[in-house]
Amino acid sequence: SQETERQRAYLETLLTNLTSGVLSFDANLNIRTANQAANLILHVKVMRYYGKALASLSLEASHLKVLVDIVQPLLEQSLDTWQRSITVENTEGRKELLCQGSSLFSEEGEYIGAVVVFDDITNVIQAQKNAAWSEVARRLAHEIKNPLTPIQLSAERLQHKLLSHLDHDDAALLKRLTATIVQQVEAMKLMVNDFSEYARPVSNQTETLDLLALIREIIVLYGAEPQVNFYEDVDDNEQYIIEANAINIRQVIHNLFKNSLEAMNHCGDINIILKRLSASQIELSLYDNGCGIEREVMNTIFEPYVTSKPKGTGLGLAIVKKVIEEQGGTIRLDKAYQQGAGFILQFPSIKLQHEG
């Protein structure tokens, strides 16, 4: 009896410390046990559903319906090991889960249930996508950049050479066409700069940074926007100190403010909420009352070349996400906010010695 108890305690400790989610089912395919990782990955307290079918999870957590619809038939029909990649969505965004299941049999060969193990591989897949997009951006920047200057110089030389030999109407036409060429070349140069920026590694030189002071410093630069109001929801008695690269974080905040101004047509309100979530984490939320983000691009808004702007390259938010993640933070879209666009950023925080 003592040996059985020791084995049970050992197994429980093992499951508790696994980063993979584990669900076990009895012979009737009702949920029997779940470890802590399963609760965290699925965003639901699975223990409340012990003794119930897997489908009961989706009654409370609608974001799990896709997972239930895929896994439940496999549990009912498969006696072999199976594996599936499943995408689930909740208020915090999209998650990619790698699920593996297997039937359980007693020593006598009697079917006694099943077990499902799943891992959150969102970050792995995103890292692979980022690496692929960075390579695409690097190659595009290289291939596009080389011919731009000769094109511009040739157009300007043609205008200089021919202008004095043409009558008034033809000269005006030449000027207009040359100006168009130069203008479009400049636009392509800006695009190339965005490509280069996305492909460039983020600087890892960090320093102790007062996030609130940096935000207020940047807001001052927008004083020429009289029809834009910045509102703060901040505890001035709190310290918001992070370890990051000041240039990179400044770029991130500038990009987000710029997006808000364009979405509001330079007229509206930007709300800034800064709070400490814990001793090791700070959260910055930015909300505007602009045109918002179209629902069909919400799930891909941080991916490269996704934009709703007529002249955008779709790299702005991709660069923001890349910079924040390489500084140890996270960013997500607040899908529940309907009065414009809202972004929630989280940074690892440091405590100063005099704070205790």
Side-chain angles (χ1 to χ4, degrees):
S1 176
Q2 289 177 346
E3 178 62 24
T4 300
E5 180 59 27
R6 277 197 297 269
Q7 292 294 332
R8 188 200 64 78
Y10 172 77
L11 182 59
E12 186 174 316
T13 302
L14 185 66
L15 290 174
T16 299
N17 289 280
L18 278 178
T19 56
S20 300
V22 180
L23 295 177
S24 68
F25 300 84
D26 60 24
N28 295 318
L29 294 180
N30 294 319
I31 300 173
R32 185 176 179 184
T33 61
N35 66 346
Q36 182 60 25
N39 297 327
L40 295 174
I41 293 174
L42 299 180
H43 285 274
V44 66
K45 293 182 179 179
V46 183
M47 63 183 302
R48 294 165 53 185
Y49 298 92
Y50 286 180
K52 298 181 180 179
L54 179 64
S56 61
L57 289 180
S58 61
L59 297 179
E60 176 190 358
S62 58
H63 65 278
L64 295 180
K65 186 177 186 305
V66 173
L67 182 142
V68 169
D69 290 344
I70 294 175
V71 172
Q72 187 70 42
L74 291 169
L75 290 174
E76 294 171 351
Q77 301 166 12
S78 177
L79 296 180
D80 298 320
T81 300
W82 51 266
Q83 178 175 301
R84 293 289 188 279
S85 293
I86 302 173
T87 302
V88 297
E89 296 180 14
N90 55 32
T91 54
E92 295 186 2
R94 182 169 53 183
K95 279 190 176 184
E96 301 286 345
L97 304 182
L98 179 62
C99 300
Q100 296 174 298
S102 181
S103 298
L104 300 176
F105 298 90
S106 66
E107 293 182 357
E108 292 78 22
E110 179 185 0
Y111 176 77
I112 58 174
V115 63
V116 175
V117 180
F118 47 92
D119 291 280
D120 183 354
I121 59 171
T122 308
N123 291 338
V124 175
I125 291 178
Q126 190 60 52
Q128 292 173 342
K129 286 183 178 179
N130 289 345
W133 279 121
S134 292
E135 180 62 16
V136 170
R138 186 190 66 80
R139 293 192 179 191
L140 281 173
H142 177 74
E143 295 296 332
I144 295 174
K145 190 173 186 179
N146 289 337
L148 291 183
T149 300
I151 291 173
Q152 182 172 346
L153 291 175
S154 298
E156 291 171 345
R157 179 168 293 183
L158 279 173
Q159 177 176 324
H160 177 74
K161 187 77 173 175
L162 301 178
L163 198 59
S164 60
H165 301 287
L166 299 176
D167 59 36
H168 180 269
D169 290 341
D170 289 339
L173 177 62
L174 179 62
K175 279 185 177 181
R176 188 166 64 252
L177 295 178
T178 304
T180 300
I181 293 173
V182 173
Q183 181 184 24
Q184 293 305 312
V185 166
E186 290 297 332
M188 292 187 72
K189 284 182 178 178
L190 292 175
M191 187 185 302
V192 168
N193 289 338
D194 283 344
F195 289 151
S196 299
E197 182 68 27
Y198 184 75
R200 185 181 302 124
V202 175
S203 173
N204 57 6
Q205 294 182 346
T206 62
E207 59 187 275
T208 300
L209 186 64
D210 186 333
L211 186 57
L212 178 57
L214 179 64
I215 292 170
R216 286 174 173 171
E217 180 183 321
I218 295 172
I219 289 175
V220 172
L221 302 177
Y222 289 86
E225 300 282 351
Q227 293 181 299
V228 177
N229 303 303
F230 290 87
Y231 297 98
E232 293 181 4
D233 183 356
V234 179
D235 182 357
D236 285 316
N237 296 318
E238 182 62 84
Q239 292 283 341
Y240 303 98
I241 309 300
I242 63 176
E243 189 77 18
N245 183 284
I247 295 176
N248 291 335
I249 300 303
R250 185 186 299 273
Q251 176 196 11
V252 162
I253 297 172
H254 267 304
N255 281 1
L256 292 174
F257 281 174
K258 177 175 173 288
N259 286 348
S260 291
L261 291 176
E262 291 175 355
M264 300 186 302
N265 198 22
H266 297 264
C267 178
D269 302 329
I270 297 178
N271 294 297
I272 301 161
I273 305 171
L274 192 59
K275 59 185 177 182
R276 181 180 289 280
L277 297 181
S278 67
S280 61
Q281 198 168 46
I282 288 173
E283 183 175 274
L284 168 64
S285 302
L286 300 175
Y287 295 95
D288 64 51
N289 58 353
C291 60
I293 295 174
E294 298 173 1
R295 181 163 296 277
E296 52 265 29
V297 301
M298 281 186 174
N299 293 326
T300 56
I301 194 67
F302 294 109
E303 293 183 6
Y305 315 121
V306 174
T307 182
S308 56
K309 300 177 185 177
K311 296 183 180 179
T313 61
L315 285 172
L317 286 176
I319 293 172
V320 164
K321 186 173 189 291
K322 181 172 180 280
V323 169
I324 291 177
E325 289 181 346
E326 294 193 16
Q327 299 290 317
T330 62
I331 181 171
R332 61 184 173 87
L333 178 68
D334 188 347
K335 296 182 180 178
Y337 181 68
Q338 301 293 325
Q339 288 75 47
F343 294 92
I344 300 174
L345 296 72
Q346 292 181 351
F347 298 95
S349 170
I350 59 174
K351 280 282 192 179
L352 299 180
Q353 289 186 352
H354 67 264
E355 289 185 88

